[in-house]
Each structure stands twice: as structure tokens, then as C-alpha cells.
Amino acid sequence: MELLKIQMQLASQIPGNTMTAGALAKKLFGEKGLAGLYKGTIVTALRDVSFSCVYFPMVAKGVEHFHNEDDNRIQGFMKTLGVACVAGAAGSGLVTPFDVVKTRLQTITPGVNTVVYKNIPDTFSKIIKNEGFSALYKGCIPRMSVIAPLMSIAQSVYFIGVAESLFGVNDKY
């Protein structure tokens, strides 16, 4: 799905292009086979697993540090909101290089004078060589600006017990 999303975004920049996601998926499958639809899956997993390795321990430690037994439900909610926001920003910022590499690998139709990337190490090395190390962090601030509130909302919804209510689990607060 990430691959289709990126290709649809790139295709939208071409005047007169009316290709649908279904037509694009069919075209990709025809040209590159099933593997072509999953290009960038490994680096996507690296990005997501690395994010989780940063985010969840930060939330756990933050909750442990900032929450106390005297907190009422609103105080606990607000502290969770803040902790998750900081953890989401930190996690997404730290894994931005994987996101940049993923996007570059998933660019199937390069433009004029565009570098072609073969695999993850090749992409990292060409980005650093051609654009400098800081290029691995292109889009970092916008990415953090999206992921931080998203994770904050998700963690806070978990805190107030939406899932527990849906599945009939007793609330711990």
C-alpha cells in the first residue's frame, strides 16, 4: 500500500494522468510481478520496528516517571498525552532516514537526472555521497509534526480505556 500511495502521489504531478490505484496496481503487477508490489517492505519494517523500539519504552518510562497515585483521570490523561507526544516526535525523528530510503526505493519511475537505487545499503550510500548526511533527514519536521499528535491521540485513547470497554476488560484506573 505504501508503494501505491507514493506512486499515486508522483503520478498526480503528471498533467492529464488519470490512473486509478487499481490500474496502477495491475500495471505494477504486470511489469514487476508480485515482488514489485512489495518493493520497500524490508525498509518499511526497519522503520516501523525501530520506531516501536524507541516509542514504547519512552512512553512506559514517561508514564512511570510522571504518573503518580494521586493523579485523577484528567491528570493521567493529560500526562499520557504529553508523554506520547514527546515519544512520538522522538521516535519518528530518529527513524526518518529509513523513511527517506523507503521513499527513494519506492520511486519506480525516476525523472530526468534522477539517481536509481538498487537496495537499502546502495540507497543510504548514494544519498550520503550525493546529498550529504543531512539529506537522510529531509522531511523530518513535517513527519514529526504528523506522528507526534497521532501517537499522542492513540496512546490517550488507550489510556481512557476504549479498547478495554470494547472487549469487556476491567479498567485499571
Side-chain angles (χ1 to χ4, degrees), residues 86-169:
V86 170
S92 62
L94 288 170
V95 303
T96 296
F98 288 128
D99 199 52
V100 169
V101 168
K102 175 193 72 70
T103 302
R104 301 287 180 95
L105 281 171
Q106 290 179 332
T107 303
I108 293 173
T109 312
V112 179
N113 299 324
T114 302
V115 178
V116 176
Y117 304 101
K118 297 180 209 161
N119 52 42
I120 297 168
D122 178 61
T123 308
F124 270 111
S125 65
K126 284 180 179 174
I127 290 171
I128 292 168
K129 180 183 173 189
N130 297 334
E131 303 172 54
F133 185 80
S134 64
L136 291 172
Y137 287 90
K138 284 185 177 179
C140 184
I141 300 299
R143 181 171 158 66
M144 291 169 65
S145 300
V146 169
I147 300 298
L150 176 71
M151 297 311 295
S152 196
I153 292 165
Q155 196 69 41
S156 298
V157 166
Y158 172 76
F159 176 83
I160 61 174
V162 170
E164 287 85 352
S165 296
L166 289 172
F167 295 110
V169 177

